[in-house]
Amino acid sequence: MENSIIPSLWFDQNAKEAFDLYCRTFPNSHIESNSPIVVEALLNGVKFIGINGGPMFKPNPSISFMVICESAEEIDRIWNTLSVDGNVLMPLNSYPWSAYYGWVADKYGVNWQLYQGNVSDTNQQAIVPTLMYCGPQQGKCETAVQFYEELFKDFHSNGILRYPEGDYKGEIQHTQFLINGFTLMAMDSGVIQDFTFSEGVSLTILCRDQAEIDYYWNRITQQGQESMCGWCKDEFGVSWQIVPTQIATYLQNPGAGEALMKMKKIIIKDLIG
């Protein structure tokens, strides 16, 4: 699939090593491009970006990736690869929401939820970014999803399931939605967590032109935060990269890379020179 939104993973200079592992693990996967800064890959049909950013940021469970598998054998095969030197958050077992499921952080810190189900239930998207609102963002999932519905002109909800009882009664246990045709999931944590969203996992929005960059940047940073080189955070702490679709082409222009490093919001004309 051609993602309109691309999950971007931050690595400590080992993005290529990680994506080599992922390409061996998931079917329909290959590396599309590789540079000292960025690796682009297709994982089970979903485009991902790996950033060789250094030790500054690390992925954590606030954004994980739900892998939809249609057999227990497929889950076992993926689990046996990703769990090596990793950290098991929820062991493989039968749970109320799936006959076979487990949650593991791989050795790079990237979190994967392996779920036995049907990809037809996720718009034929086999890997789904899943946002967990926790720590200082606990209980804000519903407000965040409402913001994304207003932000993205192409938004479709596939329903909301709420916690029926306990300390988090009424908060969102699970929701699934499409933005610009790309499936995401979200939830409020069901237990107290000591982490929240970080630049370790960001979501990249590819924009057709400057007007679209301006729209997303202005809306996201209105209550959020500006950062550098097209990075920003929304009011819930989720990191977004707002970049032109032709960014790779623009960066081939003389001086474009140096110009980009001085930018917060990306200005296309200053990259063209």
Side-chain angles (χ1 to χ4, degrees):
M1 63 181 294
E2 187 65 31
N3 316 19
S4 57
I5 294 174
I6 304 174
S8 298
L9 312 178
W10 189 283
F11 293 96
D12 187 3
Q13 308 303 334
N14 52 5
K16 174 65 162 52
E17 176 187 301
F19 276 97
D20 281 340
L21 173 65
Y22 301 153
C23 288
R24 293 194 302 269
T25 301
F26 298 108
N28 188 24
S29 301
H30 63 272
I31 290 176
E32 296 184 313
S33 67
N34 174 38
S35 78
I37 299 174
V38 173
V39 179
E40 296 180 89
L42 202 69
L43 303 181
N44 215 341
V46 179
K47 186 166 184 174
F48 278 74
I49 293 172
I51 303 167
N52 285 312
M56 188 181 306
F57 304 115
K58 296 182 183 299
N60 68 48
S62 61
I63 300 184
S64 59
F65 297 94
M66 189 78 71
V67 182
I68 315 302
C69 302
E70 297 200 333
S71 71
E73 291 77 17
E74 183 180 4
I75 288 179
D76 285 337
R77 183 183 60 77
I78 296 172
W79 181 273
N80 290 339
T81 300
L82 295 181
S83 62
V84 174
D85 297 324
N87 179 38
V88 174
L89 282 77
M90 298 182 69
L92 283 177
N93 210 330
S94 175
Y95 293 89
W97 56 87
S98 177
Y100 202 41
Y101 166 93
W103 185 330
V104 63
D106 65 31
K107 63 182 178 180
Y108 306 103
V110 180
N111 279 254
W112 307 90
Q113 299 187 61
L114 307 188
Y115 173 91
Q116 186 173 354
N118 301 308
V119 291
S120 59
D121 294 335
T122 53
N123 196 35
Q124 301 300 322
Q125 185 178 314
I127 302 179
V128 181
T130 302
L131 286 67
M132 182 167 65
Y133 294 78
C134 56
Q137 305 300 333
Q138 180 68 43
K140 297 182 181 179
C141 181
E142 184 165 14
T143 305
V145 173
Q146 289 171 350
F147 170 70
Y148 301 144
E149 183 172 6
E150 295 170 0
L151 174 67
F152 294 97
K153 295 166 184 175
D154 181 4
F155 180 99
H156 176 75
S157 173
N158 286 339
I160 291 175
L161 177 67
R162 299 181 185 275
Y163 289 106
E165 57 189 16
D167 293 341
Y168 302 104
K169 181 178 180 180
E171 294 185 8
I172 294 184
Q173 185 175 11
H174 179 80
T175 184
Q176 179 179 307
F177 51 95
L178 286 86
I179 50 180
N180 295 347
F182 187 69
T183 305
L184 290 100
M185 297 176 180
M187 61 183 289
D188 288 303
S189 179
V191 297
I192 295 174
Q193 308 286 7
D194 61 357
F195 55 83
T196 189
F197 301 113
S198 80
E199 291 87 344
V201 179
S202 58
L203 299 173
T204 298
I205 302 175
L206 298 178
C207 299
R208 293 186 302 270
D209 51 29
Q210 189 66 50
E212 198 166 48
I213 289 175
D214 293 347
Y215 168 78
Y216 285 115
W217 185 270
N218 294 340
R219 289 294 304 275
I220 289 173
T221 62
Q222 185 174 7
Q223 300 295 327
Q225 294 179 322
E226 294 185 338
S227 188
M228 299 301 294
C229 305
W231 288 66
C232 59
K233 287 186 178 182
D234 64 31
E235 62 186 286
F236 310 98
V238 177
S239 288
W240 299 85
Q241 296 184 60
I242 315 300
V243 302
T245 302
Q246 300 298 324
I247 182 69
T249 300
Y250 297 147
L251 289 177
Q252 294 176 9
N253 294 320
E258 184 179 351
L260 177 65
M261 296 303 292
K262 298 176 182 177
M263 295 180 186
K264 291 185 177 179
K265 180 178 71 175
I266 291 177
I267 307 299
I268 294 175
K269 66 180 180 60
D270 293 342
L271 295 179
I272 295 174

